Amino acid sequence: MSKRPHSPQESDIGTKRPRPASPKPFNPIKVATPEAAAAVDANPPAKQLVEALGDVVKNPDKGDCVVYWMRMHDLRNNRAFSNACEQARRDEIPVIVLFVFSPQDYIAHDRGARKIDFTLRNLAILKKTLADMDIPLHTVTYVPRKKIPEKVLNLLGSLGCKRLYANIEYEVDELRRDIKLCELALPQRVQINLSHNKAIVEPGVIFAPSSGKPYAVYSPYKKQWLKIVNDKLEHYLEEAADPTANDPSVRESETFGPLFETEIPSSIPGFELDDADKTKMTEVWPAGESAAREILLRFLNTKARTSQLGPVNPLADGAEDAAKHNRVVKYGGDRDRADKDTTSRLSPYFSSGVISVREVFRTTMRLFDIKKIDVNSNAGVGTWFSEIIWRDFYTDVLASFPRVSMGRPFQEKFSAVVWENHQSPEESRGPASKDSDSEALSRWKQGKTGVPIVDAAMRCIKEMGWVHNRPRMIVAMYLTKHLMIDWRVGERYFMENLIDGDLASNDGGWQWSASTGVDPCPYFRIFNPHSQSTKTDPSGDFIRYWVPELSKVRGPDLHTPSTSIVDKLKYPRPIIEHKEARERAMRRFKNPGST
Ligand SMILES: Cc1cc2nc3c(=O)[nH]c(=O)nc-3n(C[C@H](O)[C@H](O)[C@H](O)COP(=O)(O)OP(=O)(O)OC[C@H]3O[C@@H](n4cnc5c(N)ncnc54)[C@H](O)[C@@H]3O)c2cc1C
């Protein structure tokens, strides 16, 4: 069974067990009980954190330095860093950047080796950039994860720091960690300053006026989002001020000088990439803010290229400038085409915070002379903005309905649906083990289901750590409705393999496809993968690229090859026929609990 991303607090899930005599491998249960999830929903940790922040130390001593705790979603300049620099400048003391590696959190959240490698590559670039400004980037590894607040505060004590800055992470575990940090910092007279940075509109701002509750449906959320942002455009799109350099004398300090020497590791034990994958990821997903900006500019200014379909460098030569036929302008009509290089491929950069979503909006609006965000006009630009707003929506959902961060369906009524591979609380414990995969699950992961579009997409993920949105929807719907395998199994697999793995968007996408989430696809609307295939890959180039067994097949046969074709080409026969699968899924969803 593969790992999955949700990590409810161990104490409130499952049954209590006696304490082990010797240390055991860290295998947290990742699916909460319905009761635990309901209790957390009733008093969301995001709300508790806001309350805790109202109670922090008001006038701490100046101390010897200000620390900015950089987190996994923050790998560039951002609000917390900028605030930390501003405070350090005012107090005429240095700013120190801290990054904490927490392998237990990576296990609990199913962080994949590719995403961790991407983080390390970005940190290595940041380390150099910051050192040029005499700002040390210091890294530490802390285990167990529950002790992180104490350990961070101890470190602050040894650095003489009285003010800590960080951006908020909205997963339940991380929110609870920060609540504890605030509590423990009080008696030590350390001020904790936390900022919202991930989304354009932070969670908790958008409510349904009639009920005063957060939205669980995208359209009214988007409508409110547009109103709020357009009313205060400068505020919502304002970029954090650039960091200010430290005085070079910081390098001579006995306390701070050695922090410049901490090396960014090339891997984290237990999350190593093999050499070939590491080389490929470096080529396909170049690290650093300037690479991210260049990828954005290519999307905004140049034409799609078929040569960019596979695992290739996004900045490869040969992009053709085009004012009218560039990818963003064509996005409205082409965004569902997996056989073209139609989308921005910025998701890894957004999800690790290598590029700021506010900067992306500002750059795009400047280029197209847009004064107001209108998702219904400006050709493809409006549609593209609308897609990015989904990211804000799912972040809001994560903070407002924390059950989705605990492995529970948003719609609890569907928890009784019978799955072929069920993800029960007890089964969710433990590291990934392919041994317990059923044959169907194993074939899905390997891209050998016998459905060409599904296999092409799954092979693309395996090879690149990324696939276009429409094939993600198709494979997620296929796993949950055709194979009737628990969405949490697929969600874990995505988290482990995607370079853009993000709990909010991944859970949102999976629960949409499984019909269990906020604003989901209704359970009776089951994609026919063969007709979806003709829409997303009308040229067949995507399938032919990723499924070379079918590279000579043309026309409709490519999407639904006959038994004689597949047998001849040694391509697998489908695991299940669409009609049979559809009937089973309808039966099980209509009466959750029945088979
Ligand atoms: C089952 C499933 C799982 C997913 N898992 C993730 C994930 O782990 N991480 C992730 O970033 N996205 C996820 N998505 C959303 C979406 O597929 C990717 O963001 C998109 O394919 C990234 O490609 P792009 O950057 O070229 O997107 P573009 O089309 O260029 O869109 C620009 C940006 O908008 C945001 N965006 C676009 N579509 C969505 C969406 N449906 N939901 C949320 N944000 C969106 C992304 O940040 C994306 O980079 C998932 C979707 C599904 C159906």
Side-chain angles (χ1 to χ4, degrees):
M1 190 64 60
S2 59
K3 294 181 252 156
R4 51 165 281 98
H6 297 152
S7 172
Q9 202 172 59
E10 283 84 297
S11 59
D12 60 14
I13 51 180
T15 42
K16 286 213 166 164
R17 293 159 170 261
R19 262 182 193 283
S22 57
K24 279 192 166 178
F26 179 69
N27 288 329
I29 295 177
K30 298 170 184 177
V31 175
T33 60
E35 296 76 24
V40 176
D41 267 359
N43 189 11
K47 205 170 136 237
Q48 292 175 42
L49 180 62
V50 172
E51 283 158 17
L53 287 171
D55 213 18
V56 295
V57 176
K58 296 287 176 299
N59 294 303
D61 295 340
K62 178 169 126 177
D64 301 324
C65 68
V66 170
V67 169
Y68 158 56
W69 177 358
M70 176 176 271
R71 288 154 174 196
M72 251 182 140
H73 302 126
D74 289 346
L75 305 178
R76 70 179 292 280
N77 180 38
N78 57 65
R79 287 182 176 155
F81 186 26
S82 178
N83 293 341
C85 288
E86 177 56 23
Q87 184 63 45
R89 194 189 56 75
R90 269 201 301 271
D91 288 345
E92 298 180 335
I93 53 178
V95 65
I96 309 296
V97 179
L98 169 70
F99 195 95
V100 179
F101 297 115
S102 172
Q104 289 193 343
D105 275 313
Y106 304 159
I107 291 173
H109 293 340
D110 300 311
R111 300 259 188 240
R114 287 167 166 171
K115 176 139 182 173
I116 291 173
D117 175 68
F118 189 61
T119 305
L120 297 175
R121 287 192 281 123
N122 279 289
L123 284 176
I125 294 175
L126 277 167
K127 173 112 188 149
K128 285 204 189 85
T129 314
L130 294 173
D132 288 344
M133 302 169 78
D134 296 308
I135 300 175
L137 167 53
H138 180 54
T139 60
V140 288
T141 301
Y142 287 153
V143 177
R145 63 180 180 149
K146 284 198 167 166
K147 293 275 175 215
I148 289 177
E150 284 97 325
K151 290 185 182 232
V152 166
L153 285 166
N154 285 345
L155 179 68
L156 299 190
S158 68
L159 298 174
C161 167
K162 292 291 173 189
R163 283 190 164 100
L164 176 74
Y165 289 77
N167 290 314
I168 298 176
E169 295 175 300
Y170 301 101
E171 293 85 349
V172 166
D173 289 344
E174 280 69 5
L175 290 163
R176 285 175 166 162
R177 176 202 61 204
D178 285 350
I179 293 167
K180 190 169 170 199
L181 181 73
C182 290
E183 286 164 7
L184 296 178
L186 263 181
Q188 300 186 32
R189 298 213 39 80
V190 173
Q191 187 182 62
I192 308 294
N193 300 276
L194 299 180
S195 305
H196 293 281
N197 186 68
K198 180 183 173 189
I200 291 181
V201 180
E202 64 228 43
V205 167
I206 298 183
F207 285 100
S210 52
S211 66
K213 292 195 176 143
Y215 282 113
V217 179
Y218 178 63
S219 302
Y221 171 90
K222 181 171 74 173
K223 204 168 158 205
Q224 281 264 15
W225 188 102
L226 288 166
K227 182 175 171 355
I228 286 178
V229 174
N230 279 324
D231 280 355
K232 278 181 150 189
L233 210 49
E234 287 206 359
H235 166 76
Y236 281 107
L237 298 188
E238 185 187 11
E239 201 45 81
D242 285 341
T244 34
N246 280 335
D247 189 293
S249 63
V250 64
R251 290 177 177 273
E252 314 304 323
S253 149
E254 266 185 29
T255 313
F256 307 129
L259 304 181
F260 285 94
E261 308 307 321
T262 338
E263 293 207 356
I264 305 295
S266 61
S267 63
I268 301 290
F271 299 89
E272 296 90 348
L273 277 185
D274 66 51
D275 289 348
D277 210 23
K278 198 172 176 67
T279 308
K280 190 170 30 176
M281 288 300 118
T282 309
E283 175 76 3
V284 180
W285 305 108
E289 196 177 343
S290 45
R293 284 191 173 136
E294 185 60 24
I295 292 170
L296 169 67
L297 291 178
R298 289 266 178 122
F299 177 64
L300 299 179
N301 291 301
T302 67
K303 274 188 181 175
R305 288 180 288 166
T306 314
S307 61
Q308 293 303 107
L309 255 185
V312 291
N313 190 311
L315 302 175
D317 287 346
E320 198 184 325
D321 281 344
K324 288 202 179 131
H325 301 287
N326 57 55
R327 289 191 284 154
V328 75
V329 168
K330 305 276 266 177
Y331 187 86
D334 281 358
R335 76 194 164 97
D336 281 333
R337 295 281 299 266
D339 58 345
K340 289 173 150 195
D341 175 30
T342 51
T343 66
S344 69
R345 299 199 184 187
L346 280 172
S347 52
Y349 302 90
F350 280 132
S351 97
S352 290
V354 182
I355 197 161
S356 136
V357 67
R358 287 175 279 280
E359 173 180 337
V360 166
F361 267 71
R362 281 200 322 276
T363 305
T364 311
M365 290 171 78
R366 206 177 312 119
L367 187 72
F368 291 92
D369 196 22
I370 296 170
K371 304 277 183 270
K372 210 173 162 175
I373 302 169
D374 179 353
V375 294
N376 299 316
S377 68
N378 309 119
V381 179
T383 316
W384 193 55
F385 283 166
S386 189
E387 291 303 309
I388 302 178
I389 301 171
W390 273 101
R391 183 176 174 272
D392 273 23
F393 175 59
Y394 282 142
T395 304
D396 197 307
V397 167
L398 188 68
S400 306
F401 307 105
R403 61 169 39 253
V404 302
S405 175
M406 301 173 74
R408 296 305 312 173
F410 176 76
Q411 302 194 46
E412 194 60 50
K413 68 178 178 190
F414 286 127
S415 63
V417 167
V418 175
W419 303 106
E420 293 300 294
N421 282 68
H422 193 75
Q423 184 74 98
S424 67
E426 272 309 316
E427 285 166 336
S428 72
R429 182 189 279 283
S433 159
K434 293 187 186 76
D435 299 343
S436 55
D437 286 358
S438 64
E439 197 205 328
L441 176 57
S442 168
R443 283 177 62 176
W444 177 79
K445 288 182 180 174
Q446 301 301 320
K448 292 186 176 164
T449 63
V451 179
I453 190 67
V454 173
D455 293 344
M458 293 308 294
R459 293 181 195 188
C460 178
I461 291 178
K462 206 158 185 258
E463 188 76 9
M464 286 178 69
W466 179 92
V467 75
H468 181 285
N469 181 60
R470 178 59 52 170
R472 286 189 207 210
M473 292 161 74
I474 296 171
V475 300
M477 179 79 81
Y478 184 79
L479 187 81
T480 54
K481 304 286 173 53
H482 285 75
L483 302 183
M484 278 310 293
I485 290 176
D486 195 332
W487 51 275
R488 289 166 286 206
V489 175
E491 189 187 0
R492 289 177 76 170
Y493 182 78
F494 266 34
M495 257 343 242
E496 288 170 336
N497 289 281
L498 291 176
I499 195 155
D500 64 14
D502 169 81
L503 199 157
S505 297
N506 195 40
D507 183 80
W510 273 97
Q511 292 220 45
W512 182 90
S513 307
S515 307
T516 59
V518 289
D519 205 2
C521 180
Y523 73 79
F524 46 82
R525 208 188 122 209
I526 297 173
F527 281 3
N528 178 330
H530 306 287
S531 55
Q532 285 288 324
S533 181
T534 57
K535 287 181 198 146
T536 190
D537 187 19
S539 68
D541 287 343
F542 181 71
I543 294 175
R544 276 190 291 271
Y545 184 92
W546 290 106
V547 187
E549 301 96 297
L550 304 178
S551 62
K552 297 208 166 61
V553 182
R554 294 281 179 275
D557 282 345
L558 184 66
H559 303 284
T560 319
S562 64
T563 307
S564 60
I565 292 179
V566 298
D567 289 352
K568 191 167 149 219
L569 296 174
K570 301 207 173 356
Y571 178 68
R573 289 185 184 188
I575 298 173
I576 189 165
E577 292 304 330
H578 176 65
K579 187 168 173 290
E580 183 192 343
R582 188 174 190 284
E583 283 168 6
R584 178 176 66 175
M586 291 283 284
R587 215 170 44 237
R588 291 194 184 180
F589 270 87
K590 202 167 179 185
N591 289 308
S594 70
T595 55

